[in-house]
């Protein structure tokens, strides 16, 4: 059974800093990995989806990488802003899990002005 | 935002009563999902649908049933609500292939 872990659970950084959020998974038979953002009281917003055949995806100041062999994905946020404050979740879709995503517990990010 | 509407947004109900949550999409996506989100447990899949009248169980399906009679609507029913079903419920949709998952804004359900 796939297990997805995100460490740390919470992170506080000053505005302007570049940062990396980590996501690790136990089963390398991963079909794709998705990063989401969740603001308090809201649903999840899809940020980036990396297919198993890809190594990374970029959108604006965000860059996500996927390394199946090591069971890791990272989300890089460049030049962080207070508006980036939110909880970031990663989720993996496995080849042998029907259509079920397995979510990590999330990293709560606070960017201080 | 993807066209997903969940109703109601908030509901308080008593133990033992039936409750139905509705998810409506305007994207004509094939897949629809119901998740619950709880502190300490994260997001867990309850049921999902891969087409009209085609549904399957997720990780935490006990005590829940679903129905999908139209592409755009996916209903989640708690036959007899219990306090352990107090949670935030999210509907999500996705297309075929490597399509991202899009979420609704959630329904906060409190069972007293």
């Amino acid at each position: 059974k796939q297990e997805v872990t995100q460490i740390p659970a919470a992170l506080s950084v000053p505005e302007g800093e570049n940062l990396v959020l980590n996501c690790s998974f136990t089963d390398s038979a991963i079909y794709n990995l998705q990063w989401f953002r969740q603001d308090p009281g809201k649903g999840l917003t899809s940020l980036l989806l990396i297919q198993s055949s890809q190594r990374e995806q970029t959108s604006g100041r965000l860059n996500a990488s996927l390394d199946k062999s090591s069971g890791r994905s990272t989300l890089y946020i460049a030049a962080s802003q207070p508006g980036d404050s939110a909880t970031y979740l990663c989720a993996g879709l496995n080849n042998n899990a029907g259509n079920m995503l397995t979510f990590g517990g999330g990293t709560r990010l606070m960017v201080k002005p | 935002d993807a066209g997903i509407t969940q109703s109601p947004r908030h509901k308080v109900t008593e133990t033992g009563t039936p409750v139905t949550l509705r998810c409506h999409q305007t994207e004509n996506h094939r897949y629809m999902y119901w998740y619950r989100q709880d502190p300490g447990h994260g997001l867990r899949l309850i049921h999902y649908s891969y087409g009209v009248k085609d549904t399957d169980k997720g990780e935490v399906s006990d005590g829940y049933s679903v129905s999908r009679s139209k592409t755009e609507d996916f209903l989640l029913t708690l036959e007899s609500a219990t306090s352990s079903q107090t949670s935030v419920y999210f509907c999500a949709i996705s297309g075929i292939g490597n399509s991202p998952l899009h979420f609704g804004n959630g329904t906060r359900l409190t069972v007293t």
Side-chain angles (χ1 to χ4, degrees):
Chain A
K1 179 187 172 186
Q2 178 73 275
E3 293 182 5
V4 179
T5 304
Q6 293 184 249
I7 296 174
L11 181 65
S12 180
V13 300
E15 181 177 5
E17 190 164 300
N18 301 325
L19 61 100
V20 174
L21 304 180
N22 295 300
C23 172
S24 61
F25 47 92
T26 56
D27 188 347
S28 62
I30 199 160
Y31 189 63
N32 64 46
L33 188 131
Q34 201 167 346
W35 281 93
F36 297 88
R37 167 188 174 135
Q38 186 175 28
D39 293 287
K42 300 289 188 181
L44 282 69
T45 299
S46 177
L47 297 174
L48 290 165
L49 182 149
I50 312 174
Q51 299 178 29
S52 61
S53 58
Q54 299 173 320
R55 294 298 298 269
E56 63 179 55
Q57 281 284 333
T58 297
S59 175
R61 294 182 294 108
L62 306 179
N63 176 279
S65 68
L66 176 64
D67 185 340
K68 291 175 59 178
S69 62
S70 67
R72 290 187 60 196
S73 176
T74 61
L75 179 67
Y76 174 84
I77 302 177
S80 58
Q81 303 170 359
D84 294 330
S85 298
T87 298
Y88 291 81
L89 299 102
C90 65
L93 179 66
N94 274 62
N95 297 338
N96 57 354
N99 236 41
M100 289 191 285
L101 278 174
T102 302
F103 281 83
T107 294
R108 189 170 64 253
L109 174 66
M110 173 73 73
V111 181
K112 297 181 177 179
Chain B
D1 290 346
I4 309 170
T5 304
Q6 291 187 234
S7 59
R9 290 298 314 279
H10 301 272
K11 185 169 183 66
V12 179
T13 191
E14 293 183 351
T15 299
T17 59
V19 177
T20 295
L21 309 183
R22 180 180 184 241
C23 178
H24 178 79
Q25 62 144 331
T26 58
E27 305 297 318
N28 199 36
H29 279 347
R30 176 178 177 180
Y31 296 96
M32 298 186 75
Y33 310 81
W34 278 107
Y35 285 88
R36 60 179 289 177
Q37 187 174 36
D38 305 285
H41 291 279
L43 273 154
R44 293 178 292 175
L45 181 66
I46 305 170
H47 282 280
Y48 71 98
S49 169
Y50 47 95
V52 173
K53 297 186 179 178
D54 291 323
T55 65
D56 206 349
K57 295 178 180 180
E59 181 185 358
V60 289
S61 58
D62 288 348
Y64 301 95
S65 63
V66 290
S67 66
R68 191 170 179 197
S69 59
K70 299 185 290 184
T71 298
E72 57 266 35
D73 289 325
F74 193 32
L75 304 180
L76 177 71
T77 297
L78 291 65
E79 302 291 346
S80 177
T82 67
S83 58
S84 65
Q85 294 176 312
T86 292
S87 186
V88 180
Y89 290 85
F90 287 102
C91 174
I93 65 174
S94 69
I96 60 173
N98 261 305
S99 298
L101 207 62
H102 297 285
F103 282 79
N105 281 328
T107 293
R108 183 173 295 276
L109 176 68
T110 302
V111 183
T112 60

